[in-house]
Amino acid sequence: MQAGVKKLFVKSYGCQMNAYDAARMADVLAPEGYAETGVIEDADLIVLNTCHIREKAADKVFSELGKVRMLKEAREAAGLTTTIAVAGCVAQAEGAEILRKQRAVDLVVGPQSYHRLPEMLRQAALGPVIDTDFPVEDKFDHLAQPSEEKIRQRGVTAFLTVQEGCDKFCAFCVVPYTRGAETSRPAGKILAEAERLARAGVREITLLGQNVNGYHGEGEGGKDWSLADLLTRLSKVEGLARQRYMTSHPNDMSEDLIRAHAELPSLMPFLHLPVQSGSDRILDAMNRRHTAADYVRLVERIRRARPDIALSSDFIVGFPGETEADFVATLELAREITFGSTFFFKYSSRPGTPGADLEDQVAEEIKSERLGRLQEVVETQRRSFNSALVGRTIDVLFEKKGRYPGQIAGKSPYLQPVQVDGPETLIGQIAPVEIVECSSNSLFGRLAESFSQAQPTREAN
Ligand code: SAH
Ligand code: SF4
Ligand code: F3S
């Protein structure tokens, strides 16, 4: 091993924001001499970037830590030291408890403190260290920027956190406790980060926030910008051809944001808009602060603005007190809206959330049974959404080599993976593809004959 170069392995669980954070942790550690490796056995520093959203996700961390401990011991026997860090939302929620449960852990760092990793690593050499503060300084001001080469390695699509934390306190959700209060980054800093990404070849950015459409950051001239203002400005960044944002709350789908969907060609016609339940009684108990009819009306407005938009959603089944009639209302809402794709979860009681104290917890078998019925409805919708694209020509942003030699893979405007036969020179470009076949998760197509590589990319504006 080259003197001075240490190896870093980061494993990320949970949402896209955790994936973004994982990259930023690698960025902050690069000037400290850490280079990323994909081989965990080689790592001098292992970071588990954890998720606390459901019990299963949180439990997974401890089984993973058991394996990592054995690795640490095996390396120790070979005369190598390994530092083990737990980051992310379990770190925030459980803090010092992690050090008690698993002694092999050297360092626990919450999602708002990872800019302090270099200093924490120095302290960890002397004994276990923990930082789960919500510091007053903005971590983004203290993070090293990735090199252009690093951005290129990460590919032509990128995440960019614009807003973090949540003040909505849905009764089931740990996020307000693990990520803290809602904050929006200043638009100028987001713009600088987006321009840097674009200069290094990034063509698509997904703006991230726990409640991203509630974005209200400082804009030009000191006045607050909405997410629509930000998207409009970012649509002018040279090279950025596609924009997405997630995750949105229905109550923050403002008029200007809906209009942005009509006006910005770079804003992809695909919106993740979780509804959680179709029963007003349950929506109220969840503290979602809107009704099922509000959601239906909102979707109508969005579809009027952008008729080709597809929607996806999150659903929770078996929230405390959910009756068969409540669940049927959820099925009805799903049927009425028709989603392009959907995520569905069994309610998981989380310590410290109001939902955990509610009586009438729903039995596990009933949750499983309802999940199966919802799955049938939404999976049928997904399959028909995918198969409706067969025979149509859609723009695909090519991201990487495909599964087989001679193939390249990219994404449709609706985030479906698409495989085609084509040259690697198309990676980073958007090309029209005629869809010829679909499986449950992917589309297969051929490059449209009209497309020649010399053409400028169509979506770029
Ligand atoms: N900030 C996003 C995502 C939150 S977590 C949002 O506001 O939508 C992603 C999804 O996990 C949620 O939309 C919800 O459907 C699900 N989820 C959150 N807490 C849960 C719990 N305790 N049990 C089951 N699913 C949960
Ligand atoms: Fe959780 Fe609700 Fe906030 Fe989303 S809006 S992060 S579900 S509390
Ligand atoms: Fe999980 Fe935290 Fe994201 S709990 S879903 S990693 S915000």
Side-chain angles (χ1 to χ4, degrees), residues 166 168-170 172-173 175-176 210 249 288:
C166 183
K168 293 254 190 296
F169 292 93
C170 300
F172 49 81
C173 185
V175 170
Q210 266 86 36
H249 191 288
R288 292 291 290 182

Side-chain angles (χ1 to χ4, degrees), residues 80-336:
L80 299 165
T81 50
T82 316
T83 305
I84 299 177
V86 178
C89 290
V90 178
Q92 190 62 44
E94 301 214 8
E97 193 59 28
I98 298 173
L99 297 174
R100 271 192 291 278
K101 284 190 194 159
Q102 180 49 270
R103 291 181 178 280
V105 174
D106 300 283
L107 189 161
V108 176
V109 59
Q112 304 307 342
S113 306
Y114 60 76
H115 57 299
R116 296 180 177 168
L117 268 173
E119 180 52 34
M120 291 179 75
L121 280 171
R122 281 186 275 279
Q123 290 169 9
L126 309 171
V129 35
I130 174 163
D131 190 340
T132 51
D133 288 348
F134 289 114
V136 283
E137 81 264 18
D138 180 356
K139 70 175 174 218
F140 295 107
D141 289 342
H142 295 80
L143 291 173
Q145 289 297 329
S147 65
E148 203 171 305
E149 187 196 339
K150 192 81 218 174
I151 299 173
R152 281 187 202 284
Q153 276 170 17
R154 286 178 185 156
V156 298
T157 63
F159 295 130
L160 205 176
T161 293
V162 301
Q163 179 277 328
E164 197 165 351
C166 183
D167 298 339
K168 293 254 190 296
F169 292 93
C170 300
F172 49 81
C173 185
V174 294
V175 170
Y177 313 96
T178 63
R179 293 275 166 172
E182 260 183 66
T183 52
S184 295
R185 295 178 67 192
K189 294 194 174 152
I190 295 164
L191 189 59
E193 197 171 320
E195 282 169 342
R196 192 183 172 89
L197 292 169
R199 274 197 304 274
V202 168
R203 304 299 317 278
E204 172 180 308
I205 49 167
T206 303
L207 305 185
L208 298 180
Q210 266 86 36
N211 191 10
V212 70
N213 56 343
Y215 175 86
H216 53 93
E218 186 191 325
E220 273 154 18
K223 96 176 191 319
D224 261 16
W225 270 16
S226 66
L227 186 67
D229 295 330
L230 188 63
L231 288 163
T232 306
R233 179 64 191 87
L234 289 171
S235 71
K236 299 186 179 104
V237 173
E238 202 184 322
L240 282 186
R242 288 182 163 190
Q243 302 190 79
R244 307 177 185 276
Y245 61 92
M246 71 185 303
T247 299
S248 299
H249 191 288
N251 289 359
D252 289 325
M253 281 310 293
S254 55
E255 195 51 47
D256 67 338
L257 185 55
I258 295 176
R259 211 169 42 241
H261 278 280
E263 290 171 356
L264 298 177
S266 60
L267 191 52
M268 289 295 97
F270 186 60
L271 176 64
H272 185 59
L273 194 61
V275 64
Q276 315 295 358
S277 169
S279 152
D280 289 345
R281 219 172 57 80
I282 295 299
L283 284 168
D284 185 49
M286 286 175 163
N287 194 31
R288 292 291 290 182
R289 297 168 192 263
H290 65 77
T291 63
D294 291 337
Y295 187 83
V296 171
R297 273 194 299 271
L298 173 62
V299 168
E300 280 166 6
R301 280 167 57 212
I302 297 167
R303 284 182 169 153
R304 263 200 303 277
R306 182 86 205 230
D308 64 339
I309 204 163
L311 288 141
S312 74
S313 185
D314 293 340
F315 285 97
I316 295 177
V317 301
F319 186 78
E322 187 188 75
T323 62
E324 172 65 18
D326 293 319
F327 174 67
V328 168
T330 296
L331 288 180
E332 279 167 6
L333 180 78
R335 287 203 187 96
E336 179 166 1

Side-chain angles (χ1 to χ4, degrees), residues 44-65:
D44 303 288
L45 170 60
I46 298 172
V47 180
L48 298 186
N49 194 25
T50 62
C51 173
H52 200 243
I53 203 81
R54 283 168 289 273
E55 194 177 353
K56 254 198 202 137
D59 286 351
K60 195 152 52 177
V61 178
F62 290 97
S63 60
E64 195 68 26
L65 277 175

Side-chain angles (χ1 to χ4, degrees), residues 16-42:
Q16 286 85 349
M17 194 173 290
N18 255 16
Y20 174 82
D21 289 346
R24 300 316 306 268
M25 284 191 251
D27 295 338
V28 89
L29 291 168
E32 303 289 312
Y34 283 95
E36 278 182 275
T37 172
V39 186
I40 191 167
E41 289 80 7
D42 290 348

